[in-house]
Amino acid sequence: MSKVVVLGAGIAGHTAAAHLRRKLSKEHQVVVVSPNRNYQWVPSNIWVGIGRMKAEEIYFPLEPLYKKKGIGYIQAKVVSFHPEGDALEEKPFVSVEYLYGEKAGTQEKVTYDYLINATGPKLAFDLTEGLIPGTNKAYSVCTYDHAEHAWQGLKQLIEKLKSSNEKAKILIGTGHPKATCQGAAFEYILNVEQELNRNKVRDKVEITWISNEYKLGDFGMDGMLMSVGGKPMHSDELVEMVFADRGIKWILGAGVSKVENGKAHYENLDGEHKTEEFDFAMLIPSFSGHGFKAFDKNETDITDKLFKGFMIVDADYTPRPYEEWTVQDWPETYQNPSYPNIFAPGIAFAPPHTISKPRKSKNGTDIFPSPPRTGMPSGITAKLVADNIIDSIKSGKPSLHHKGSMGNMGAACIASSGYGILKGRGISITTYPIVPDYKKYPNTGGRDIKKTFGDIGLAGHWVKLSLHYAFIYKAKMKPFWWLIPE
């Protein structure tokens, strides 16, 4: 009998647990450890953040589902990793701490044969002074409760504008010099603009995009050359066209360092320190590792064997100049090199380097996006990790047959604005590969232009809406859920 422990119940963790349970016989244990009691379909937080969906429509409780499917569930947070066991426990284990109920505050050893670290990122609001969601007129849509709070703030502003002749400023983008997830902020700004139009107050609001990107449409992937309507177009041209059409202003190369009541302080690449005022802001925070510690059998600290901020996997972390980075540096199996029974798919793995070109301000401040690993990459890498563990258990010997680098993996992003069957526009961007391969595609920015394309229209909005229902269905493990791709 083998015991597989999955840390985290987000897109990566939940996906891995679902595939493990479906393909392994009942003699093998699958256990999920997560401090969260609900699964949430994160992409739909955007609609919660404009009041077009209720939070209850994008999440469901984990415990009843896991109990029904035969998946163990421990609602607790991970405290430390012990991949060799300790003096009292021979098997490897993670130490967890219960946060709720009668066991709150107590710790427990959870042993494993295989461990999947899918803990995702820590939402490091604390790395930007004053960025705590719901304070200083600044909000977040990173979780469903944050998104609900954001809608309340936006709704209050809209009601105020409806009943007065006042003007307002809205600021949306990144809230840290190295924040990622520009795509979520991009989708939110389009939805907010649409909501202002729907409420007939758009003419009273100045909307500004603020980002650490060097160019519009970078999205942490160094931008892309794509096919739009059969013609080549750079992503910055597409996004500029969209913003110009909607009257959205933009500030680029901006590293937000502090937020006060209605003010965002930032440094630009020229080294200038500036301030942007706002009446409502949604700024994506920095993502960081959780600060886990690891210990060997003798309780010696071995954190540097497992973590480099996020978890170390089969990537090439050799420090090199930007010009020498290659697509081959990226991991394929997400296996820790020191402990081969530990894996880290999704956002939990440490990237070998950024995808966007690193840039510093004239003062030496790093201002550029961190690499994105959300959405499709999280689901795909979680499934391949699960499949390798399944093969290893069934064959009785280590197997790494399933591989998938972000250098040969595509991703689709649909930024939909508006809501409903007949109202809405989707901006669809498909990229292949996520990490550009400049040797294979030297003339098209490191990507296959036949598989990298953009489109604007109602069809993309329909796809986005249908994906919401499809992936909630999949996450609930309803009949034939596995036929829906990651």
Side-chain angles (χ1 to χ4, degrees), residues 199-315:
N199 283 278
K200 298 181 173 56
V201 294
R202 175 67 183 91
D203 60 326
K204 296 182 178 182
V205 183
E206 178 182 294
I207 307 176
T208 302
W209 169 260
I210 186 167
S211 175
N212 51 16
E213 301 165 294
Y214 181 68
K215 287 184 178 181
L216 289 172
D218 179 289
F219 297 130
M221 297 185 291
D222 210 27
M224 64 210 75
L225 179 68
M226 63 179 71
S227 175
V228 180
K231 297 180 180 180
M233 177 183 284
H234 284 278
S235 54
D236 61 310
E237 297 175 287
L238 177 66
V239 175
E240 183 174 338
M241 178 178 68
V242 170
F243 279 2
D245 179 58
R246 294 166 180 258
I248 297 172
K249 299 180 178 181
W250 58 85
I251 300 169
L252 300 175
V256 175
S257 58
K258 182 180 179 180
V259 177
E260 293 181 307
N261 188 29
K263 290 183 180 180
H265 299 271
Y266 69 94
E267 179 184 351
N268 63 23
L269 288 168
D270 289 329
E272 301 170 317
H273 292 274
K274 295 190 171 186
T275 300
E276 188 70 17
E277 296 186 354
F278 58 82
D279 297 282
F280 173 93
M282 197 294 291
L283 301 172
I284 300 290
S286 173
F287 290 177
S288 72
H290 291 271
F292 297 127
K293 291 290 186 180
F295 303 92
D296 68 11
K297 198 169 188 67
N298 300 315
E299 295 298 321
T300 302
D301 192 313
I302 55 166
T303 302
D304 59 356
K305 281 189 174 183
L306 267 72
F307 297 101
K308 187 183 177 70
F310 293 96
M311 181 163 272
I312 296 168
V313 292
D314 59 315

Side-chain angles (χ1 to χ4, degrees), residues 182 213 217-224 355-357 369-372 406 411 413 429 431 433-436 438 445 447:
Q182 284 78 8
E213 301 165 294
D218 179 289
F219 297 130
M221 297 185 291
D222 210 27
M224 64 210 75
I355 304 174
S356 297
K357 183 177 180 178
S370 296
M406 285 174 61
C413 176
I429 298 175
T431 305
I434 300 169
V435 179
Y438 296 106
R447 295 190 172 93

Side-chain angles (χ1 to χ4, degrees), residues 15-37:
T15 297
H19 284 289
L20 286 161
R21 185 68 288 163
R22 184 176 79 87
K23 294 182 179 180
L24 289 175
S25 63
K26 297 300 182 182
E27 66 178 317
H28 304 292
Q29 285 183 273
V30 178
V31 177
V32 173
V33 178
S34 174
N36 301 316
R37 68 176 183 272

